Amino acid sequence: MHQKPDGDAMGSALGLYHFLVALGSEVTVISPTNWADFLNWMPGVKKVVDFENQREKAKGIIDAAERIFCLDFNVLHRTKHMEQPLAQAKAVKLLIDHHEQPQREAFNYGISDTGKSSTCEMVYDFIIKSGHGGLLNETIAECLYTGLMTDTGSFRFPSTTASVHRMVAHLKDSGLKHTPVHEHIYDNFLENRLRFIGFALLHRMEVLYDYNTALMYITREDLVKYDIKTGDTEGLVNYLLTISGIRFGAIVVDRSEERKWSFRSKGYFDVNAFARRHFEGGGHMNAAGGRSSESLQETVKKFKEVLTEYQIQLQ
Ligand code: 5GP
Ligand code: MN
């Protein structure tokens, strides 16, 4: 899975894990980095190896593996420090992913389908098409529902097809209790995170009406002051799109190692292309991310400068 795994990365990996274990395989889930606390309820998460924390152990597992499933990323550098060990691994590498422009030569086999809502949906298809759909149970269903729910914005993005709803129906028939999943993911934060959101909306948001764009920047001091952890800023960018007429939302967070951008759009403004072109990133048409090594001030300045090229597209 990609670094700082989200609900879809962790959900698809753990869903596949429980399925392969049920088939009798020996399986380890490795995450390139740590993850948000709101994923810690997930079945099997305690066995996930954090590459940054347990580098030697993880490298040993990667070297010894027969097959490596690469989930919810399609370019090796999205796995940060795992890029080299993955590139050198002798295992057969199988890609299951829904992002644009896969690095084809890095994988032996795979499915890359940008029409899919989530990697969790693709793992579900994989399970069904393998002929072992009978192994679906409440545990696998909880994992796969997590990514399906988070990547579709709780079933509202255009990627929410009839197949997505049919999958939910099947998961429900397999024992899924969906309400606790929503509560674990969305109603499980500390008070400081809500106060931080209030602060950020009040003091760190700029609305650029000429471009139908809203921008938010979070400084390192803000992160310290409100004790903001991995995952606490997730979803913040979506607030920007709740302003009537705003078609492009962008947030940049001053993480210690880099300035991390999240981009979201409504309609036909392609944030994947924008992220690739200007901020070393990528993703999907309506949701993408990127990065910058420049200072927060510099990267915000650059954003505003390049935005001027898109005024017509954003009308
Ligand atoms: P988020 O803003 O939630 O971090 O990411 C939005 C989408 O863009 C996700 O599908 C994520 O996998 C993808 N994404 C985020 N950052 C990057 C990046 O730096 N490079 C690429 N290729 N995709 C990214
Ligand atoms: Mn995904």
Side-chain angles (χ1 to χ4, degrees):
M1 59 178 97
H2 57 77
Q3 63 149 318
K4 302 283 175 187
D6 57 5
D8 191 34
M10 189 61 94
S12 57
L14 288 174
L16 185 64
Y17 166 85
H18 291 292
F19 172 69
L20 294 175
V21 167
L23 280 178
S25 303
E26 200 183 313
V27 193
T28 310
V29 177
I30 304 180
S31 169
T33 64
N34 68 344
W35 51 87
D37 284 345
F38 61 73
L39 298 175
N40 276 331
W41 62 275
M42 295 189 75
V45 76
K46 288 194 173 57
K47 289 194 192 143
V48 176
V49 175
D50 175 348
F51 185 87
E52 281 188 330
N53 266 347
Q54 296 172 275
R55 214 171 268 224
E56 290 315 309
K57 179 181 175 184
K59 275 188 185 158
I61 295 166
I62 292 170
D63 286 342
E66 283 174 42
R67 296 183 187 83
I68 300 177
F69 283 90
C70 300
L71 303 170
D72 205 37
F73 71 91
N74 63 15
V75 282
L76 293 187
H77 69 76
R78 289 278 287 142
T79 64
K80 211 176 171 186
H81 301 303
M82 258 169 80
E83 178 175 1
Q84 273 310 99
L86 272 182
Q88 286 161 4
K90 287 185 267 315
V92 173
K93 282 161 231 162
L94 303 110
L95 172 78
I96 304 183
D97 178 71
H98 66 136
H99 294 89
E100 310 259 355
Q101 287 145 291
Q103 184 185 3
R104 286 177 181 276
E105 69 285 0
F107 309 97
N108 302 99
Y109 298 98
I111 324 168
S112 160
D113 187 347
T114 57
K116 286 288 172 182
S117 64
S118 56
T119 303
C120 280
E121 184 187 355
M122 300 176 77
V123 168
Y124 169 82
D125 292 345
F126 177 78
I127 292 174
I128 298 303
K129 287 181 186 159
S130 75
H132 296 286
L135 291 175
L136 265 187
N137 56 23
E138 188 181 341
T139 304
I140 297 174
E142 270 186 343
C143 297
L144 298 184
Y145 184 80
T146 299
L148 197 63
M149 176 187 86
T150 55
D151 264 31
T152 57
S154 299
F155 309 100
R156 65 170 281 190
F157 298 151
S159 60
T160 313
T161 57
S163 306
V164 167
H165 286 293
R166 275 192 287 269
M167 171 179 163
V168 175
H170 190 189
L171 297 182
K172 288 294 292 175
D173 285 339
S174 308
L176 170 72
K177 296 184 187 67
H178 67 278
T179 305
V181 178
H182 288 257
E183 289 172 359
H184 282 306
I185 300 283
Y186 295 120
D187 302 340
N188 200 17
F189 295 104
L190 299 176
E191 177 189 336
N192 65 311
R193 191 237 181 202
L194 205 56
R195 296 204 182 276
F196 163 73
I197 292 174
F199 166 83
L201 292 172
L202 210 50
H203 300 292
R204 297 287 185 253
M205 183 177 76
E206 277 185 53
V207 186
L208 310 162
Y209 286 104
D210 286 347
Y211 302 96
N212 292 320
T213 295
L215 164 70
M216 187 178 269
Y217 56 92
I218 306 298
T219 71
R220 217 168 296 179
E221 294 73 45
D222 300 339
L223 298 177
V224 172
K225 184 174 172 201
Y226 288 93
D227 195 22
I228 293 305
K229 301 272 184 327
T230 300
D232 281 345
T233 52
E234 218 173 296
L236 203 49
V237 64
N238 296 315
Y239 284 102
L240 304 175
L241 290 182
T242 65
I243 304 171
S244 178
I246 294 303
R247 297 185 51 207
F248 182 22
I251 177 171
V252 58
V253 181
D254 194 355
R255 287 196 192 147
S256 42
E257 65 277 20
E258 62 188 6
R259 264 46 61 208
K260 184 73 187 140
W261 281 97
S262 275
F263 303 111
R264 296 292 184 276
S265 67
K266 271 183 180 162
Y268 295 105
F269 186 66
D270 185 350
V271 290
N272 169 50
F274 183 89
R276 273 173 203 278
R277 190 155 159 230
H278 304 293
F279 293 100
E280 302 168 44
H284 316 274
M285 175 152 141
N286 295 122
R291 57 171 301 283
S292 169
S293 307
E294 294 173 328
S295 69
L296 186 66
Q297 213 180 0
E298 280 301 315
T299 193
V300 167
K301 187 164 158 250
K302 177 179 169 183
F303 176 86
K304 288 181 179 171
E305 276 164 14
V306 300
L307 193 63
T308 58
E309 295 173 35
Y310 297 89
Q311 188 162 23
I312 293 164
Q313 280 187 50
L314 282 163
Q315 288 318 303

